Amino acid sequence: MDKIIIEGGVPLKGAIEVSGAKNAALPILAATLLTNEKCIIKNVPVLRDVGTMLKILRSLGIKVQMTGNRVVVGPSQIKQNVAAYKLVSTMRASICVLGPLLAKQRQARVSMPGGCIIGQRPVDLHIKGLRALGAQIKIEHGYIVAKVKELRGSNIFLGGAYGSSVLATANVMMAAVMAKGRSLIENAACEPEIIDLANFLIKMGAKIQGQGTPIIEIEGVKKLGGATHSIIPDRIEAGTHVLAAAITGGDLVIKKAKIEHLSALIDKLTQAGVSVKANSGDIHVKRRSSNLKPVDITTLPYPGFPTDMQAQMMALVTVTDGISVLTEKIFPDRFMHVSELNRMGAEIFLEGASAIVKGGKRLSGAPVMASDLRASAALILAGLVAKGKTEISRIYHLDRGYEQIEEKLIKVGARIKRVKE
Ligand code: UD1
């Protein structure tokens, strides 16, 4: 297993380029199942999760080729309707083949994804939405077994205990585009990745309105065709680089990012004393003063503060003076990084779904363990500012979601390397 070693204390300077969004690429690749025709998807990040999705498509009989950041899918036909446990268990987002398989094949067997380290991950909203479109669904031997004679448009309220669901919205939207008649998804997720998926489906011939708002209206069509699409930039990767500049007191230009997708983060950073500005299509980040101010954060569905940035933001507030409170409203147990940050000298206490951070500490390098994707990013940020050497193990989590992270950070001055354990 690889590990990452960082010698901290270097303010990052220069330009860093953002890759395509993992969370847009995964459902968009699943959506190619809706046609037998050829689809070309560009700006696809080379990541382990993308590799898993391509393996799933191949396991269904689909022709797939990835060259650099370009994926060509098809022309081909689905040969079997089962997404097996072996693949689905390695990545929750595999569940987004359920909607397209059901729409195209009228039947699907997709392994239940199960929970993961960031807490319970139920699929009730996916099932509720697809049932509303007429599907019969049961759970059998660990699989979601779905079938339907004909999907029919319907009004679907997709709200759960924690608000909207990104992948349930994606799944239901991908099924509804080929249902007979009109569907209305209420309390739909508004994330930019859902807009990107809708835009791809529209290029394939789907009739969708309202993407990016809580009410999505879909008029079903009989058939979808091939399409060419370029994936939007990864806002979570961009946000992580923004925080890398802030935490090291550096000066970074972040290229190919969309600043309008980062408003909640930028608002908090501005309060903290970091300047984040759009600069002819790029984002320029610089600390305004040497001492940052504490901030309180609550994670919420988009456009609220993203849960996928909570761990990285926590790394930042460990070094800002004063007390910050970070509250999780999406995944209340998503705090595995707390104990590792504390090993580096942070002072963080958990109180229910809130982390209370006594900031202003000088972190010191230590051996730490990555528990999940965004926790790994938080540990890298902490390592970049810590005194001395930080060794992060279990970094296979990182490879699920950050394309060429060390290469990108080395270019802006970080002393970071990957070694075999
Ligand atoms: C997506 C993202 C993930 C991000 C998350 C929240 C992808 C591939 N992954 O995951 O990076 O952290 O959104 O922004 O896009 N819920 C239910 N029932 C369901 C589904 C979800 O109660 O059927 C709950 C979840 O437990 C959670 C909340 O809804 O509390 C939001 O989760 P959801 O938006 O579904 O997350 P994902 O789409 O799986």
Side-chain angles (χ1 to χ4, degrees), residues 22-24 26-27 49 92-93 95-96 118 120-127 160-168 189 191 193 235-236 300-302 306-308 329-332 334 373-374:
K22 167 181 88 74
N23 288 354
L26 296 174
D49 277 6
R92 258 195 69 85
I95 192 158
C96 54
I118 67 173
Q120 271 200 37
R121 308 281 296 261
V123 289
D124 56 309
L125 293 174
H126 299 248
I127 293 176
Y162 298 96
S164 55
S165 159
V166 179
L167 290 181
E191 270 71 1
E193 294 76 19
R235 64 193 165 98
I236 306 300
L300 288 168
Y302 189 86
T307 175
D308 285 353
K329 292 268 188 185
I330 309 283
F331 297 114
R334 192 177 204 175
L373 170 57
R374 306 303 169 188

Side-chain angles (χ1 to χ4, degrees), residues 9-20:
V10 183
L12 302 187
K13 292 207 168 91
I16 207 160
E17 205 169 275
V18 175
S19 300

